[in-house]
């Protein structure tokens, strides 16, 4: 499912926000199925502390965080999102909404999940965002999925998901790290 960025978020993206957070100059994520240029670059340098982009409203609107969870969609300072494409994850990395080295428990790092999505265009990521009101503000990934799975995807997914708490490889792909 292709998510459309709402008009307000698109206006902010195109209004010339400072291009400093990332090389994408705040550009909206590209269409689903398009391989982001970031897929073919080296992992960004580790930054400690990580300088998160604090525009939580733009982040949440762009990736659809908290949909279906009421307004504003947060429970206990957390809002979930799903169906995140490689292009959307590239945007989160470029704009510093997610630390490429961040891991959720035993999950691979955000960069490793991004690279997996780059190699498998039908796979999507899911996770949660933490409210700007909390000191642990961040974006975390904890799941990858695909509505279908073929031999090649299964061959790559089984070792990638070896440490996942829950996996499904029958007819579809689901790997969840808790």
């Amino acid at each position: 499912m292709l998510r459309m960025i709402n008009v307000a978020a698109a206006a902010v993206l195109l209004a010339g926000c400072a291009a400093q957070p990332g090389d994408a100059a705040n550009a909206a994520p590209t269409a689903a199925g398009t391989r982001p240029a970031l897929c073919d670059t080296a992992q960004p340098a580790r930054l400690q502390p990580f300088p998160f982009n604090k525009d939580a409203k733009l982040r949440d609107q762009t990736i659809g965080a908290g949909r279906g969870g009421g307004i504003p969609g947060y429970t206990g300072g957390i809002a979930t999102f799903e169906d995140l494409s490689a292009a959307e994850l590239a945007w989160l990395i470029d704009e510093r909404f997610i630390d490429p080295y961040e891991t959720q428990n035993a999950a691979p790092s955000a960069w490793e999940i991004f690279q997996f999505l780059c190699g498998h265009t039908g796979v999507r990521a899911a996770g949660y965002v933490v409210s700007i009101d909390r000191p642990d503000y961040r974006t975390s990934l904890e799941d990858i999925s695909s509505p279908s799975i073929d031999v090649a995807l299964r061959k790559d997914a089984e070792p990638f998901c070896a440490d996942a708490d829950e996996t499904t490889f029958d007819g579809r792909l689901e790997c969840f790290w808790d």
Side-chain angles (χ1 to χ4, degrees):
M1 169 171 51
L2 176 63
R3 272 193 304 277
M4 300 303 292
I5 299 173
N6 83 24
V7 175
V12 170
L13 290 170
L14 299 173
C17 294
Q20 295 175 359
D23 296 334
N26 292 304
T30 56
T34 302
R35 183 178 168 87
L38 188 62
C39 289
D40 301 315
T41 65
Q43 184 172 6
R46 184 173 217 134
L47 302 173
Q48 291 184 319
F50 187 78
F52 283 104
N53 183 332
K54 300 290 187 162
D55 191 347
K57 184 175 181 181
L58 175 61
R59 173 197 68 182
D60 296 356
Q61 288 175 334
T62 303
I63 65 171
R67 284 188 304 189
I71 298 174
Y74 279 82
T75 301
I78 303 286
T80 61
F81 62 87
E82 56 187 31
D83 200 33
L84 194 73
S85 69
E88 291 165 316
L89 185 47
W91 181 82
L92 287 172
I93 292 168
D94 276 340
E95 297 305 318
R96 294 194 321 243
F97 285 111
I98 191 167
D99 179 350
Y101 290 86
E102 197 271 337
T103 61
Q104 166 55 31
N105 296 330
S109 70
W111 184 259
E112 291 167 321
I113 290 173
F114 171 65
Q115 289 296 304
F116 191 86
L117 270 58
C118 288
H120 301 282
T121 57
V123 177
R124 298 292 184 262
Y128 61 91
V129 293
V130 176
S131 168
I132 191 70
D133 300 326
R134 288 184 31 173
D136 58 341
Y137 171 82
R138 68 184 182 282
T139 304
S140 293
L141 302 174
E142 60 184 3
D143 183 272
I144 61 168
S145 63
S146 176
S148 62
I149 188 169
D150 59 20
V151 173
L153 177 54
R154 184 179 182 125
K155 180 180 179 240
D156 291 345
E158 284 181 337
F160 186 77
C161 298
D163 293 331
D165 294 291
E166 297 176 30
T167 58
T168 300
F169 300 110
D170 296 326
R172 66 184 180 88
L173 169 66
E174 185 85 32
C175 299
F176 174 74
W177 293 270
D178 188 20

